[in-house]
Amino acid sequence: MRNMKKCCILLSSLLWLCMALWLTGCGSMEKKDEKKSIRIGVSLYRGDDTFINNIRGELEKCAKEYEQENGVKVNMDIQDAKGSQNTQNKQVERFLSLGCDVLCINPVDRTAASVMINKAMAAQIPVVFFNRQPVEEDMDRWDQLYYVEAEAKESAVLQGSIVVERYRENPGSLDLNGDGVVSYVLLEGESSHQDALIRTEWSVQTLRDGGVPIEKITGGIANWERSQASALMEQWLEKYPGQIELVLCNNDDMALGAIDAMDRTGISGICTVGIDGTTPGIEAVENGKLVGTVSCDKKKYAGAIFGIAASRATGQEIPPEIELEEGKYYRCPQQIVTKNQK
Ligand code: GAL
C-alpha cells in the first residue's frame, strides 16, 4: 500500500514535470513565432511640405532605433501622394496587397478618409492618421483608427502670446508708426485644413485678449507655401506702403515667404511670426529674421505615430508614455521659440 502511494506521488510529480517542460517549450515556441519583422505603409499628402518632411525624417529615425532596441526588422515604405487623393487611395490598396501590418496616413483630403478606412477595415489593418484630421464620424467607425497632431488652438494661442509679450515689453516694436494701432496682414494655410481656420481665429483672439490694439489690413490664402506667401506679401508691401506692422502666418514656410518678399524689397523691422518650428523656421529665429514660432516636439510627434503603429503591428499594448485621449487621439506638446526663449 505504502509503495503504491509512493508510486502515485512519483507518477504525479513526473506528470507535473512533463507539463512544466511542455509549457516552457510552448513558451519558447511562442517566442519563435514573435514577429521578426514588421511592415508599415506610410503615405504623405505631399512629400515637398517642409513640416511633413521634418516628421518623415523623425519617423525614419524611430524605425532605426526600434530595430536596434527590439531586434525586429522594420520595413517602412514611405510614399508621396503628391496632393492627389486618388493616388493616395491607390497607395493604400498597394500597401494592403503587400501585406502591411499597419498604415500611417497623412490624408490628402481629410473629408475623404472613408474610402481608405473602408479598405483598411476590410483587411483588418489598423491606421494611424496624422496632421490632417479625418472627420469625427470617420474616426469613430473603428477602434483601430488613431490620430496624431499638434493641436491647432494651442499653437495659435502660443503664437498670439509671442506678440502680446513683445507688445507689453515694447509697444513701439510693433506699432511702428506710433498711431496707437498695430496693423497686420494674415497669411493662411489651405482653406480646407482644420489647422488653418483654427490658427487664424485663435491667434487674432489671443492678441485681442492680451490687449494689443490690432487692425487687419488684409489677408490671403497661401496654402502653407513659401513661394505663394512671398508673392502675396510682395503685392501687399506695394499696395500698403509703410502700413504693415505685423505678419501673422499660419506656418513657418509662409512666414519665410513673407520675409523673402521683405528682403527683396529691402524692408525690415516688420514683426513676423510662424508656427511649426521647422528646421528653416528655427534657423530664421536664430538669425533674427523671424520673431518667433511655435514648435511641436517632432521627436515625440513621430514617436507617437511610430509607437502606435509598431504596437499595432506586433499585437502589443500601446506604450503608456503615448498618452491617448479617448483611446485614439495623441496631441503633441508644443513650445514657443523666440531668440531668448528656447
Ligand atoms: C500644418 C503645418 C503646415 C503644413 C500642413 C500640412 O499643421 O503647420 O506647415 O505642414 O500642416 O497639412
Side-chain angles (χ1 to χ4, degrees):
M1 192 63 186
R2 269 182 73 181
N3 276 350
M4 272 270 285
K5 210 172 168 186
K6 263 192 185 159
C7 210
C8 274
I9 293 173
L10 200 71
L11 265 174
S12 68
S13 311
L14 260 171
L15 205 70
W16 276 111
L17 190 70
C18 287
M19 271 186 58
L21 277 174
W22 183 73
L23 278 174
T24 44
C26 262
S28 64
M29 255 174 66
E30 225 170 60
K31 270 230 157 84
K32 267 183 218 148
D33 282 352
E34 262 177 23
K35 277 187 180 279
K36 284 279 162 267
S37 73
I38 55 176
R39 188 177 278 273
I40 305 178
V42 183
S43 173
L44 309 177
Y45 94 106
R46 277 178 61 160
D48 60 358
D49 178 294
T50 311
F51 174 71
I52 296 298
N53 249 306
N54 281 186
I55 299 297
R56 177 198 180 132
E58 290 296 333
L59 267 177
E60 283 165 341
K61 282 190 208 156
C62 288
K64 282 208 185 92
E65 278 168 23
Y66 186 87
E67 285 189 333
Q68 278 159 8
E69 279 165 23
N70 299 283
V72 174
K73 171 100 190 82
V74 180
N75 298 298
M76 196 160 65
D77 185 351
I78 305 183
Q79 296 292 325
D80 177 2
K82 299 198 165 111
S84 157
Q85 188 55 61
N86 201 18
T87 304
Q88 188 162 60
N89 292 346
K90 288 192 184 128
Q91 289 170 349
V92 166
E93 267 171 27
R94 185 177 150 272
F95 287 150
L96 295 174
S97 71
L98 286 173
C100 281
D101 300 296
V102 60
L103 306 182
C104 300
I105 302 179
N106 170 216
V108 174
D109 179 353
R110 71 184 200 95
T111 62
S114 60
V115 176
M116 299 184 285
I117 293 175
N118 288 344
K119 293 182 203 295
M121 281 174 78
Q124 288 291 293
I125 296 302
V127 185
V128 187
F129 290 103
F130 61 99
N131 171 257
R132 301 160 75 91
Q133 184 171 7
V135 294
E136 213 177 320
E137 298 87 83
D138 279 339
M139 284 304 297
D140 287 344
R141 284 179 57 199
W142 191 28
D143 64 359
Q144 293 302 305
L145 303 175
Y146 302 86
Y147 179 64
V148 173
E149 69 164 1
E151 204 202 2
K153 180 176 168 188
E154 188 189 11
S155 323
V157 169
L158 290 173
Q159 181 186 57
S161 64
I162 298 174
V163 181
V164 170
E165 200 177 308
R166 192 174 169 86
Y167 186 78
R168 286 188 183 155
E169 268 171 19
N170 177 10
S173 67
L174 279 150
D175 181 10
L176 301 174
N177 59 13
D179 65 354
V181 174
V182 176
S183 307
Y184 72 94
V185 294
L186 195 72
L187 282 163
E188 296 186 80
E190 289 162 281
S191 56
S192 58
H193 197 306
Q194 79 283 350
D195 286 0
L197 311 171
I198 302 171
R199 286 180 190 176
T200 297
E201 181 188 341
W202 283 98
S203 184
V204 172
Q205 188 60 42
T206 306
L207 295 183
R208 288 211 182 96
D209 293 347
V212 183
I214 45 169
E215 180 185 70
K216 182 174 172 184
I217 301 177
T218 188
I221 294 172
N223 296 308
W224 311 118
E225 282 190 38
R226 186 165 178 158
S227 58
Q228 289 189 33
S230 172
L232 274 179
M233 187 66 187
E234 197 168 327
Q235 285 171 26
W236 296 340
L237 286 169
E238 212 175 290
K239 199 163 170 199
Y240 308 101
Q243 293 175 52
I244 304 172
E245 296 168 318
L246 168 66
V247 192
L248 289 178
C249 308
N250 281 173
N251 78 339
D252 284 355
D253 260 13
M254 295 190 294
L256 294 171
I259 292 167
D260 291 341
M262 293 183 237
D263 284 350
R264 272 201 306 278
T265 43
I267 292 169
S268 61
I270 301 177
C271 172
T272 307
V273 283
I275 287 176
D276 277 347
T278 58
T279 312
I282 304 241
E283 267 167 32
V285 171
E286 276 162 6
N287 66 31
K289 294 250 174 197
L290 186 61
V291 163
T293 184
V294 177
S295 181
C296 68
D297 185 330
K298 318 244 166 1
K299 205 171 154 59
K300 282 208 171 126
Y301 194 113
I305 301 172
F306 188 85
I308 300 170
S311 68
R312 297 303 78 188
T314 53
Q316 281 163 2
E317 292 286 311
I318 294 174
E321 62 273 18
I322 304 175
E323 285 175 32
L324 296 180
E325 287 173 30
E326 295 169 53
K328 59 184 149 197
Y329 296 106
Y330 178 79
R331 305 208 153 98
C332 182
Q334 308 184 64
Q335 61 167 19
I336 284 174
V337 181
T338 58
K339 228 175 169 180
N340 325 317
Q341 200 168 7
K342 254 194 276 169

